[in-house]
Amino acid sequence: MTILDGLLSDLVDESLQLDTWVAGLPADGWATVTTPEGWTVAHQIGHLHWTDAASLAAITDQDEFGRGMKRAAANPEGYVDEGAEEMAMLPPEELLAAWREGRVALDAALRSVPEGEKIPWFGPPMSPASMATARIMETWAHSHDVGEALGLTIPQTSRAKHVCHIGVRARGYAYLVRGEPLPEADVRVELTGPDGDLWTWGPDDAAERVTGSGYDFALLATRRRHLDDVDVRAEGEHAAHWLTIVQAFAGLPGNDPARLADR
């Protein structure tokens, strides 16, 4: 099995988990509010489908993707929300079918990209493996929103490692998007996965460190939890500040998550 095969398998598993949560919902269940900004279950699935469609266009239809890039440049703060809103207007059964079809099409498209070729994106171009990892991250984060809103017990799986990986790799971006300089100090990250595995990034001898729960770091990096509500610790000034701004997704950071005690 190649790296891409493994990533796409995890993406299928993460997507199917969410699929089972929403497939049996009545129509009013799709209207359940999932975020402080008012996104419903339908917005969450609509956003995932919309992003899958954009990813597919980036691989198979450069003209369509180029038009999307122009729309994003014209409305950088509202483009994503508009896409989610448009998709959320579809009847639930139609939206679910479209999301399922889009997942299958994107899987095939990612497998078809010639070795060594990059896929254009709204940020830097990505390899198929990087795009698959990004799709896992987004599906994981939005699944958490849905599961929490529906009052479900959300399984803690090792798929959170992909989310952590992007959060660590995107450290520089977290500073850039806030207009802050990236410190020269390296940070060693050592996280424990749900299965007890140790996930590590960065130099062994780095003076600054981040340690704790891998699952909680993923929640922190997707800005689903406040730092006060996760089992993640920092050693060093720069590591501590990074944990206040860490993000695993492109675009603006959005609102800071509220503490659980304040919700």
Side-chain angles (χ1 to χ4, degrees):
M1 177 182 290
T2 66
I3 291 175
L4 181 60
D5 288 335
L7 289 167
L8 291 175
S9 177
D10 280 353
L11 177 56
V12 166
D13 289 344
E14 195 65 43
S15 300
L16 283 175
Q17 176 180 273
L18 176 56
D19 195 310
T20 62
W21 294 348
V22 303
L25 286 178
D28 60 353
W30 284 75
T32 302
V33 176
T34 62
T35 70
E37 293 77 24
W39 271 26
T40 64
V41 171
H43 285 89
Q44 299 282 0
I45 301 302
H47 172 69
L48 290 175
H49 173 54
W50 177 85
T51 313
D52 283 345
S55 302
L56 183 62
I59 299 170
T60 64
D61 191 339
Q62 296 297 307
D63 291 340
E64 174 60 25
F65 182 71
R67 288 189 287 271
M69 289 278 284
K70 290 180 180 178
R71 290 192 293 270
N75 185 19
E77 294 190 11
Y79 180 57
V80 171
D81 286 339
E82 286 182 357
E85 184 68 33
E86 179 182 352
M87 294 296 174
M89 298 298 292
L90 296 172
E93 63 275 10
E94 185 178 336
L95 175 56
L96 181 58
W99 178 46
R100 287 171 173 171
E101 292 172 7
R103 282 152 41 195
V104 172
L106 180 58
D107 183 288
L110 286 168
R111 295 180 189 277
S112 74
V113 176
E115 185 174 354
E117 187 172 305
K118 297 282 188 177
I119 303 166
W121 196 238
F122 298 98
M126 294 192 287
S127 68
S130 292
M131 180 168 279
T133 306
R135 299 309 305 130
I136 295 170
M137 179 274 296
E138 277 226 86
T139 306
W140 187 94
H142 293 290
S143 292
H144 189 275
D145 294 340
V146 172
E148 194 165 61
L150 296 177
L152 303 175
T153 299
I154 303 172
Q156 295 191 17
T157 73
S158 60
R159 294 191 294 272
K161 183 178 181 180
H162 302 301
V163 183
C164 297
H165 180 72
I166 295 182
V168 173
R169 292 291 299 273
R171 179 176 170 235
Y173 180 80
Y175 285 87
L176 175 66
V177 76
R178 290 164 177 80
E180 300 180 18
L182 174 65
E184 294 183 4
D186 289 324
V187 177
R188 171 72 169 180
V189 179
E190 297 182 349
L191 304 171
T192 303
D195 297 328
D197 297 338
L198 184 63
W199 305 340
T200 64
W201 296 266
D204 290 339
D205 60 352
E208 303 208 18
R209 291 181 176 262
V210 166
T211 58
S213 161
Y215 186 84
D216 280 12
F217 183 86
L219 289 173
L220 190 66
T222 53
R223 300 182 67 75
R224 264 59 187 179
R225 283 289 184 271
H226 191 278
L227 181 58
D228 290 350
D229 294 314
V230 295
D231 178 19
V232 181
R233 301 166 299 280
E235 299 175 24
E237 173 189 357
H238 300 301
H241 178 62
W242 174 42
L243 291 185
T244 68
I245 64 171
V246 59
Q247 74 177 65
F249 52 88
L252 300 174
N255 297 326
D256 290 333
R259 294 174 175 86
L260 293 178
D262 297 333
R263 292 186 181 183

